[in-house]
């Protein structure tokens, strides 16, 4: 018992950890409600054979900070279902529906999609318990990966950060690691603002073109034709992970965690990093980048477009309202974080943590204990 308390608890939470087990259908799951002082928690359901409670506790905290930083009326939570997400569709539906029934009374957790779950799963949950975000269009959802909510937010963060990084978005050279949902939309919205895509990668390889890649042609090539960026003829292929060191003005991680290591941070050749992926850099690496004068807008500030869109959907808003809310919140938050970082001489992540934690602490003063 001792270890449970000392391992997981601090001054913010988590407020509840629910373990779910149904041997009849092999449902093993956990839900972590981290902090609900700003409102019911929103966070995704991760389905993976190796998802652990420790991971879900960390992800739930990340959602508390992300939602607080975005100024949403929601706390942070997260769920894990220990299962293979590629199981047959009927089995997956049964598991998701059973999970839904198990969390029916846990009304301070609103589930959304994460790795291994999607809008179809969210539709089953809505049918079972009447609450979920990230729904299909036909049941009132705003398809955030189709409209590019997160990529749009990254471009807005870039608009604010250009002054701090001493670059001009118009003509800025951009490299994107991970040309998926987030990466492609970030490329599109940055190109609309005059930036030039000079490098891109996916799991299969990377290409570069100092004169600029045609973003829309590359999106069609990868998305509609299902091909790798590495085969795009406008670019010169380079080893995939060499993209990290490409000479550019803006570097966007939009794939995996922990790709910017301390070693990489010493060698990166950019002015600004807009973190699309979650935890793409180690804390030590972010310190090095800061010392080198490379501005790094942290993940939970820069990539909050998706959860802001989900919150707008939950409250019955439209796609247009989602875009204007993302713009308003990410503009204000990026400005607040980079200004505090500059004034106090601390990393943008430390500044973002201070701001988010202060908001959660203040919200906690308005709610009764217990
Ligand atoms: P996605 O699956 O659509 O795209 C991921 C892309 O990364 C793919 O092109 C894949 O080939 C590529 N990739 C994988 N491993 C790679 C590697 N080692 N090197 C280079 N490329 C690699 O996923 P997504 O929705 O675009 O999400 C990307 C990241 O952004 C994830 O970390 C996700 O957690 C985070 N994120 C996504 C959203 C969202 O709205 N989708 C919101 C916040 C954060």
């Amino acid at each position: 018992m001792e270890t449970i308390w000392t391992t997981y608890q601090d001054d913010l939470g988590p407020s509840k950890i629910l373990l779910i087990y149904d041997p009849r259908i092999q449902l093993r799951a956990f839900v972590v409600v981290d902090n609900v002082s700003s409102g019911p928690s929103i966070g995704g359901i991760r389905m993976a054979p190796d998802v652990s409670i420790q991971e879900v506790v960390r992800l739930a905290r990340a959602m508390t900070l992300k939602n607080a930083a975005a100024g949403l009326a929601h706390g942070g939570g997260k769920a894990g279902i220990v299962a293979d997400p590629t199981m047959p569709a009927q089995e997956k539906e049964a598991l998701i529906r059973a999970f839904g029934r198990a969390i029916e009374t846990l009304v301070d957790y609103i589930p959304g999609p994460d790795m291994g779950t999607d809008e179809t799963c969210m539709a089953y949950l809505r049918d079972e318990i009447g609450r979920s975000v990230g729904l299909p269009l036909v049941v009132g959802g705003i398809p955030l990966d189709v409209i590019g909510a997160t990529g749009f937010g990254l471009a807005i963060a870039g608009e604010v950060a250009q002054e701090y990084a001493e670059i001009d978005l118009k003509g800025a050279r951009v490299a994107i690691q991970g040309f998926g949902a987030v990466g492609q939309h970030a490329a599109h919205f940055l190109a609309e603002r005059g930036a030039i895509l000079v490098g891109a990668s996916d799991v299969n390889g990377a290409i570069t073109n100092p004169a600029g890649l045609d973003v829309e042609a590359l999106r069609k090539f990868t998305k509609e034709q299902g091909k790798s960026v590495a085969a795009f003829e406008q670019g010169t292929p380079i080893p995939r992970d060499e993209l990290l060191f490409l000479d550019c003005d803006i570097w966007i991680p939009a794939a995996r965690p922990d790709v910017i290591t301390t070693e990489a941070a010493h060698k990166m050749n950019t002015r600004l990093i807009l973190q699309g992926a979650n935890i793409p850099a180690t804390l030590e690496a972010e310190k090095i980048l800061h010392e080198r004068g490379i501005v790094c807008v942290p993940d939970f500030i820069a990539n909050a477009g998706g959860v802001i869109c989900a919150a707008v959907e939950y409250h019955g808003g439209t796609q247009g309202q989602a875009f204007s809310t993302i713009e308003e919140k990410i503009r204000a938050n990026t400005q607040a974080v980079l200004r505090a970082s500059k004034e106090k001489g601390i990393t943008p992540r430390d500044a973002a943590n201070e701001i988010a934690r202060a908001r959660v602490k203040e919200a906690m003063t308005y709610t009764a204990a217990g």
Side-chain angles (χ1 to χ4, degrees), residues 309-323:
C309 183
V312 170
E313 174 193 296
Y314 185 72
H315 294 282
T318 62
Q319 187 171 309
Q321 285 164 338
F323 275 115

Side-chain angles (χ1 to χ4, degrees), residues 174-177 179 196-201 207-209 213 243 246:
V174 183
I176 299 185
Q177 180 189 56
F179 207 65
I196 300 162
L197 184 68
V198 294
S201 69
I207 46 164
T208 170
N209 184 342
L213 296 155
L243 193 89
L246 197 69

Side-chain angles (χ1 to χ4, degrees), residues 46 66 78 114-115 144-145 148-151 154 176-184 200-206 222 228-229 240-241 243 253-257 259 275-280 299 302-307:
R46 180 160 293 192
K66 187 184 283 196
K78 201 88 182 182
D114 190 65
M115 273 165 47
L144 60 93
D145 276 340
T150 303
L154 286 168
I176 299 185
Q177 180 189 56
F179 207 65
V182 172
Q184 295 194 10
S201 69
D202 61 25
V203 72
N204 296 309
T222 54
S228 165
V229 294
R240 188 188 72 188
D241 296 338
L243 193 89
R256 310 279 310 162
V259 290
Q275 298 190 347
N278 291 318
I279 44 169
D299 44 12
N303 75 16
V307 76

Side-chain angles (χ1 to χ4, degrees), residues 212-223:
L213 296 155
D214 180 336
V215 171
E216 299 315 314
L218 185 58
R219 286 176 78 195
K220 280 203 180 102
F221 185 75
T222 54
K223 203 166 171 217

Side-chain angles (χ1 to χ4, degrees), residues 63-245:
M63 290 309 298
T64 296
L65 298 177
K66 187 184 283 196
N67 295 347
L72 302 178
H74 292 284
K78 201 88 182 182
I81 300 181
V82 185
D84 178 358
T86 62
M87 72 178 74
Q90 262 185 327
E91 276 174 41
K92 191 164 179 178
E93 177 177 351
L95 207 61
I96 290 288
R97 285 184 180 276
F99 172 79
R101 291 190 293 275
I103 63 162
E104 185 161 13
T105 56
L106 189 65
V107 290
D108 48 14
Y109 173 59
I110 302 162
D114 190 65
M115 273 165 47
T117 58
D118 58 12
E119 60 176 32
T120 306
C121 299
M122 296 310 119
Y124 297 146
L125 289 174
R126 179 180 178 274
D127 182 45
E128 287 291 335
I129 61 170
R131 60 173 207 282
S132 60
V133 290
L135 289 160
L137 196 61
V138 291
V139 288
I142 305 174
L144 60 93
D145 276 340
V146 178
I147 67 169
T150 303
F152 175 69
L154 286 168
I156 298 298
E159 276 187 20
V160 175
Q162 59 182 334
E163 179 195 332
Y164 292 88
E166 296 173 7
I167 58 168
D168 193 345
L169 270 196
K170 204 166 168 14
R173 298 161 305 147
V174 183
I176 299 185
Q177 180 189 56
F179 207 65
V182 172
Q184 295 194 10
H185 286 291
H188 166 80
F189 289 114
L190 283 166
E192 270 189 357
R193 287 158 178 76
I196 300 162
L197 184 68
V198 294
S201 69
D202 61 25
V203 72
N204 296 309
I207 46 164
T208 170
N209 184 342
L213 296 155
D214 180 336
V215 171
E216 299 315 314
L218 185 58
R219 286 176 78 195
K220 280 203 180 102
F221 185 75
T222 54
K223 203 166 171 217
E224 288 169 22
Q225 298 178 35
K227 296 194 178 141
S228 165
V229 294
F232 190 58
E233 59 195 19
Q234 272 182 30
T236 307
I238 56 168
R240 188 188 72 188
D241 296 338
E242 284 299 306
L243 193 89
L244 261 168
F245 311 112

